[in-house]
Amino acid sequence: MIIGVLKEEADTRVALTPDVVKKLTEHNQILIEAGAGGNTYIPDAEYEAAGATISQRNDVISKSTLLLSIRPPAEDILSKLPQGASVISSFRPYEDATVPEKLSKFPINVFSMDMMPRITMAQDKDVLSSMASMAGYRAVLEAATHLPRYFPMLTTAAGSIPPAKVLILGAGVAGLQAIATAKRLGSVVEAFDTRAAVREEVQSLGAKFVEVEGSRDDKAAGGYAVEQTEEYKQKQRELIFDRASKSDVIITTALLRGKKAPILITKEMVEAMKPGSVIVDLAAAGGGNCELTQNDATIDHHGITIIGDSTLEAKMPMHASLLFAKNVFNFLKVLLKEGELQLDMENQLIRGTCIVQGGKNMYEVK
Ligand code: NAD
């Protein structure tokens, strides 16, 4: 394979790091666009030392038989790839079902890393988890820097400071990392999730699990949350209202795959919070868990800071790139054999992620 990586046009991250390049050079040629690692502080020389060839953008596009990208490459890039080339990125087809249709205009294979099945053997290939974990960590740091008070309890000569109260809504990968980080910073943490199965995980991190009885769990949803009944949602609203008004920080991470994010924090709840409090909404791109969230913006509503950002991991491009590259490398160990593409559709990792095969839309048949 000729594996190509371009400088991302709308992201700080880069799809391959030198340590992974080294592992791929035995059977593949690696082309890296000059300056691709710029935002990640990886100089071209480091890629070269790892065995890659630094190339001009047009050369990478016209020669790559496998293009790796953090963000989906633009159509004019896809149209210039060699016939039969493959592309690996995160296309989020569950958010827009027309995506695979548009991609199938091109005679290529497309693998969407965010379609990786959530099974044990796929954990080391799961970019959603790698990025969510980083976002959860960073959300707490963002909250701490915007909060006009301390996180930890402190006893000073001038008097005692009580710990900040942090409420985490959604205790999946991002939420659990947010809990761990908020605990490390010394705050008092409570968390809520519709999946009662996460109770022990929340408690083992030292946080309190806030529970609403009567939730629906759906084993067929592959580990993802499902929509709840109206009665449950009403009980949940009352409980969150009570907890939110007592919190200094709320971090929301609740997502429903393929659907708009559930509104968990209403305008009324925001206005009941203490002035100076901070909300970090990691579901901003999916419509937000807070009614007032604006995607990719930080706003002030009656003294409450609301940060709407779903790609906080991009603020830590070094480790985000490293983890993405390692996840892709682990997938390539399945997809390539001695540098040749093995399109084994019986393999559930390949079948799960392949949304276009040779210009044929494979997503609709799932
Ligand atoms: P996610 O990003 O889809 O959602 C985040 C959290 O929000 C989830 O815990 C979800 O239950 C919760 N949520 C949804 N609606 C809610 C609501 N109305 N109120 C409160 N909370 C709500 O989930 P995720 O973090 O990507 O992980 C989902 C599950 O998949 C977890 O159990 C995780 O451990 C599992 N997982 C498995 C693998 C694997 O085995 N390869 C990899 C990653 C995640």
Side-chain angles (χ1 to χ4, degrees):
M1 282 277 158
I2 302 179
I3 302 179
V5 169
L6 295 171
K7 183 170 171 56
E8 297 278 332
E9 286 175 295
D11 208 287
T12 52
R13 295 165 285 178
V14 60
L16 270 188
T17 49
D19 54 331
V20 176
V21 167
K22 245 184 238 167
K23 295 184 189 164
L24 288 169
T25 48
E26 191 186 348
H27 297 292
N28 309 282
Q29 191 189 339
I30 316 291
L31 302 182
I32 306 276
E33 181 184 351
N39 292 322
T40 316
Y41 304 95
I42 305 172
D44 289 348
E46 236 181 89
Y47 281 113
E48 271 182 321
T53 306
I54 301 299
S55 308
Q56 290 313 307
R57 188 172 182 83
N58 287 339
D59 278 346
V60 177
I61 297 171
S62 62
K63 290 181 186 159
S64 295
T65 52
L66 171 59
L67 186 71
L68 309 180
S69 187
I70 302 264
R71 301 264 181 161
E75 291 203 354
D76 75 307
I77 295 176
L78 299 177
S79 67
K80 291 176 192 146
L81 290 173
Q83 173 132 4
S86 298
V87 178
I88 296 181
S89 185
S90 295
F91 291 88
R92 309 181 92 83
Y94 42 85
E95 280 175 7
D96 178 0
T98 66
V99 165
E101 208 177 290
K102 287 179 188 150
L103 292 169
S104 49
K105 279 195 304 211
F106 306 102
I108 57 174
N109 307 307
V110 179
F111 301 90
S112 197
M113 289 299 282
D114 47 11
M115 291 298 296
M116 194 63 71
R118 300 206 117 173
I119 50 176
T120 308
M121 68 189 285
Q123 272 175 352
D124 62 353
K125 305 158 188 78
D126 192 328
V127 296
L128 286 183
S129 292
S130 300
M131 299 303 129
S133 180
M134 296 191 74
Y137 165 84
R138 184 72 185 211
V140 176
L141 302 190
E142 295 289 327
T145 48
H146 279 84
L147 195 68
R149 53 157 294 153
Y150 269 122
F151 252 51
M153 181 179 80
L154 286 177
T155 309
T156 80
S160 300
I161 309 261
K165 292 198 179 86
V166 177
L167 174 65
I168 314 273
L169 299 178
V173 181
L176 290 172
Q177 188 57 251
I179 294 172
T181 309
K183 284 297 293 180
R184 277 185 220 123
L185 280 183
S187 58
V188 171
V189 186
E190 46 187 23
F192 167 74
D193 198 297
T194 46
R195 293 180 304 123
V198 296
R199 184 196 301 108
E200 276 91 50
E201 286 174 88
V202 167
Q203 289 169 343
S204 72
L205 290 168
K208 185 177 166 208
F209 187 63
V210 181
E211 200 156 4
V212 178
E213 287 188 356
S215 74
R216 282 176 61 219
D217 254 359
D218 188 348
K219 299 271 177 298
Y224 292 104
V226 291
E227 192 117 37
Q228 299 295 327
T229 61
E230 256 327 301
E231 188 197 351
Y232 178 91
K233 284 192 206 165
Q234 182 52 35
K235 281 200 258 174
Q236 176 182 319
R237 273 192 289 272
E238 285 163 18
L239 185 83
I240 293 177
F241 195 112
D242 176 58
R243 306 319 304 158
S245 60
K246 297 181 174 107
S247 302
D248 299 293
V249 169
I250 303 180
I251 292 174
T252 72
T253 74
L255 289 170
L256 295 171
R257 194 168 165 98
K259 294 199 178 126
K260 193 183 169 304
I263 295 289
L264 303 178
I265 306 285
T266 60
K267 178 169 176 276
E268 199 189 358
M269 291 183 200
V270 174
E271 289 169 4
M273 290 177 79
K274 288 173 277 183
S277 302
V278 179
I279 298 172
V280 184
D281 194 337
L282 292 182
N289 292 140
C290 171
E291 199 179 347
L292 300 173
T293 295
Q294 288 176 23
N295 191 25
D296 290 333
T298 296
I299 60 160
D300 181 296
H301 183 82
H302 293 200
I304 314 297
T305 305
I306 305 172
I307 303 171
D309 196 332
S310 298
T311 44
L312 280 174
E313 65 275 14
K315 293 198 167 172
M316 296 152 68
M318 259 186 202
H319 280 147
S321 303
L322 182 86
L323 294 177
F324 183 91
K326 288 198 167 175
N327 288 145
V328 169
F329 174 68
N330 290 328
F331 180 50
L332 291 182
K333 286 198 276 188
V334 178
L335 189 64
L336 304 183
K337 194 159 180 230
E338 297 184 350
E340 293 295 322
L341 188 71
Q342 302 290 307
L343 255 184
D344 172 10
M345 286 300 185
E346 299 293 304
N347 182 306
Q348 55 181 326
L349 307 185
I350 296 176
R351 181 65 195 91
T353 51
C354 182
I355 57 171
V356 173
Q357 181 186 6
K360 183 166 173 244
N361 182 353
M362 299 298 284
Y363 185 67
E364 59 187 9
V365 292
K366 276 175 206 168

